[in-house]
């Protein structure tokens, strides 16, 4: 655009050291200062008489210093008494500099901003913001904004920088009036000015209200920028080219015949979505969501067969060796009878075996390659890769997804996730993907009973394990996640294993943990799956993908340490057969509030989407996004849950804007996202 935009995109004119600090706040260009909005406001416009000042809110008072002293009981502190004719007030500082003491010479006047509370010795303010003043010094005319900042960057410095830009930058509308008017939003310039420089009549409470039209405007703009950038990413992909894949259905039909079950309606529907995408000449990026146990693997297998029928190869990746191996076993079990070669590729493979797998993939003798991250590596060459399937996609980085695209023809991508993404997240951070949901579990599942049991009652739980085994069922015993120490985690698993062997002498009890070699793990897992073990003690390696229908009891030790998604995943390992299943969450008291909230959610809910929605509320979107986070424009002002209506409005408007006013779309993106990583132009 024209010069005003250039001004917006210049780096702030400040010394290098300061520029670094601004950068930490995400401020790289001058317009970012305009969008750097206050966290809250301080009110220095009104002076309260000490005696009349209300409790429980920040107030400004002024008085003459009556006395000051450094006392050492109960701990070192500076105590200053001031009085203003209406009353006296104690100012208390636990951290202070010797120079500060001077400010409080007897007889000097100070203004103090803080909350008054009833102290042991009368009314007091702890760590007020103070300033020495002359009698009758003028008060601030409007509220003082308090900005997010970093060490060494003071509020006055930030204020000066921001206010300087407000005078220089173009704050006019970049969005077309016909689009804005129906929304009845406050003009951008008005909203920005109000929030940075509120007029005197505004109170801090009014400004903190998220429903304030000014905030609504900024949230909307931010969400719109996000929607535009996601749509552009979507569009860019739809402009790429990929092979049109249309299978003849011959192999799929044979696999379906061999299966002991029928596909659910939901499985058939998502398969239709996938097949329709594969038939298009641009790369599919479809996210297949389905709760644990909803049957994503067979969908993946049938999608793979479509590609194989059409003469293409397929890669299937999983984030852990165990999960990848489970897939390998399952898929080769399904595909081998159809005469289709399946290759196995993992980091722990011996050189010779690896070379052979690579050779079979390159020569096209294997039509399906299953593996871990090893499949992403440079030495992997496909003869004709048409489809890449990624299980638990949120664990892979964006970079890895892209690395795969670089191989030969751009393949179609199917991502599968058992961590349900709440609707609002799907609408925002995942808006560049197409999403299919398996919203129905296969028939014949019995509901899982969840029990919360305190550690002192552990013997009862051991009794339950015994009864379960006596009925011919199997049990998982999952050991705590210990983030600080893998060694410690291993130790607890080893201890629990030993303890259970002592407590249940007649039972066959296996152990898997992350330190075991893949082959060793596979032996134990296979023994459990084959019913040669009654109990499987495991660290959280069994989190995803393990499928043993005869297991009907899941015990999770120290459930309070685990996240909701993880608990939900673990619980989903049982309830796969016809036996009544139980999940015991063992916890250690006392529980933190967060742990309590989590356990309550998992206890009360079985639906993965509801759990995910509540998880989003408890934790915010950060952890959901995982690797996705790094490449995407984050939201600073909008809250997905609270601002759902704005999100929907932004989503509906983004395509219109791109279609009819591409220049306005560009200007809006420029305003909000220029300089950010994922900046595409309309
Ligand atoms: P997830 O979606 O968690 O990956 P899986 O693909 O492992 O689930 O499927 C869970 C179990 O359900 C497997 O034993 C699978 O064979 C079985 N299954 C899948 N689809 C059906 C179906 N339509 N009817 C009955 N069982 C099914
Ligand atoms: Mg799975």
């Amino acid at each position: 655009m024209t010069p005003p935009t250039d001004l917006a995109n210049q780096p702030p004119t400040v010394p290098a050291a300061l520029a670094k600090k601004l950068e930490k706040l995400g401020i790289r260009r001058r317009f970012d200062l305009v969008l750097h909005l206050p966290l809250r406001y301080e009110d220095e416009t009104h002076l309260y008489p000490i005696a009349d000042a209300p409790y429980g809110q920040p107030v400004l008072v002024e008085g003459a210093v009556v006395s000051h002293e450094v006392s050492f009981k109960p701990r070192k502190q500076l105590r200053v008494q001031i009085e203003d004719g209406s009353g006296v007030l104690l100012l208390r500082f636990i951290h202070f500099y010797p120079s500060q003491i001077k400010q409080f010479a007897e007889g000097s006047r100070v203004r103090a901003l803080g909350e008054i509370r009833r102290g042991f010795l009368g009314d007091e303010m702890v760590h007020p913001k103070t300033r020495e003043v002359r009698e009758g010094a003028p008060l601030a005319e409007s509220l003082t904004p308090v900005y997010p900042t970093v060490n060494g960057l003071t509020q006055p410095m930030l204020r000066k920088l921001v206010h300087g830009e407000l005078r220089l930058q173009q704050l006019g509308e970049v969005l077309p009036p016909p689009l804005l008017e129906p929304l009845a939003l406050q003009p951008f310039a008005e909203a920005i000015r109000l929030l940075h420089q509120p007029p005197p009549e505004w109170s801090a409470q009014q400004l903190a209200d998220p429903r304030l039209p000014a905030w609504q405007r900024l949230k909307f703009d931010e969400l719109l920028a996000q929607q535009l950038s996601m749509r552009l990413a979507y569009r860019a992909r739809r402009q790429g080219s990929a092979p049109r894949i249309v299978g003849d259905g011959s192999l799929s039909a044979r696999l379906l015949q061999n299966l002991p079950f029928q596909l659910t309606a939901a499985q058939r529907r998502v398969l239709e979505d996938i097949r329709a995408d594969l038939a298009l000449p641009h790369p599919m990026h479809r996210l297949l969501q389905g709760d644990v146990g909803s049957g994503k693997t067979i969908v993946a297998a049938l999608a793979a067969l479509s590609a194989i029928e059409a003469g293409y190869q397929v890669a299937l990746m999983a984030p852990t060796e165990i999960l990848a191996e489970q897939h390998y076993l399952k898929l080769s079990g399904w595909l081998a009878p159809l005469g289709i070669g399946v290759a196995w590729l993992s980091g722990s493979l011996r050189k010779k075996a690896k070379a052979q797998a690579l050779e079979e993939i390159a020569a096209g003798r294997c039509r399906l390659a299953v593996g871990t991250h090893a499949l992403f590596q440079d030495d992997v060459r496909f003869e004709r890769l048409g489809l890449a399937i990624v299980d638990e996609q949120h664990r892979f980085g964006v970079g890895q997804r892209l690395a795969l695209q670089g191989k030969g023809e751009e393949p179609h991508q199917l991502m599968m996730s058992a961590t349900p993404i709440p609707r609002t997240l799907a609408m925002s951070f995942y808006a560049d993907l197409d999403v299919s949901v398996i919203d129905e579990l296969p028939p014949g599942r019995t509901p899982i009973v969840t029990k919360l049991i305190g550690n002192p009652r552990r013997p009862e739980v051991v009794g339950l394990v015994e009864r379960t085994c006596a009925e011919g069922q199997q049990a998982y015993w999952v050991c705590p996640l210990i983030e600080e120490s893998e060694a410690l985690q291993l130790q607890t698993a080893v201890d629990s294993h030993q303890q259970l062997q002592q407590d249940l002498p007649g039972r066959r009890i296996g152990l898997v943990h992350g330190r075991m070699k893949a082959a060793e793990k596979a032996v134990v897992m296979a023994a459990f799956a084959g019913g040669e073990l009654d109990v499987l003690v495991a660290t959280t390696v069994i989190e995803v993908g393990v499928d043993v229908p005869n297991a009907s009891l899941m015990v999770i030790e120290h459930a309070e340490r685990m996240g909701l998604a993880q608990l939900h995943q673990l619980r989903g390992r049982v309830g796969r057969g016809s036996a009544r299943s139980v999940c015991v969450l063992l916890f250690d008291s006392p529980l933190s509030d967060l742990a309590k909230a989590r356990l309550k959610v998992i206890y009360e809910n079985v639906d993965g989407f509801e759990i995910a929605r509540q998880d989003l509320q408890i934790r915010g979107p950060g952890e959901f996004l995982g690797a996705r986070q790094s490449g995407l424009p984050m939201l600073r002002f909008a809250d997905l849950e609270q601002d759902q209506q704005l999100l929907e409005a932004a989503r509906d408007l983004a395509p219109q804007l791109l279609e009819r006013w591409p220049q306005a779309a560009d200007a809006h993106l420029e305003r909000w996202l220029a300089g950010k990583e994922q900046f595409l132009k309309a």
Side-chain angles (χ1 to χ4, degrees), residues 292 318-320 322-324 326-327 391-392 394-395 418-419 525 540-547 565-566 569-570 573 576:
V292 262
T320 66
I322 282 217
L323 181 52
Q326 285 254 325
H327 280 322
D391 201 7
E392 294 304 318
H394 63 283
R395 300 181 181 215
T419 305
M525 299 299 298
T540 44
V541 290
I542 63 157
E543 187 182 336
V544 276
V546 177
D547 186 28
Q566 202 174 23
Q569 296 265 326
L570 283 170
R573 298 301 115 212
R576 295 187 160 213

Side-chain angles (χ1 to χ4, degrees), residues 261-264 267 290-299 327 330 334 391 416 418 438 442-443 445 545-547 549 573 576:
F261 54 78
Q262 305 250 306
L263 294 187
T264 62
Q267 284 170 319
D291 214 339
V292 262
S294 61
K296 295 182 290 296
T297 320
I298 185 66
V299 172
H327 280 322
K330 188 138 222 173
W334 281 335
D391 201 7
M416 305 198 287
I438 306 184
R445 300 280 163 89
V546 177
D547 186 28
R573 298 301 115 212
R576 295 187 160 213

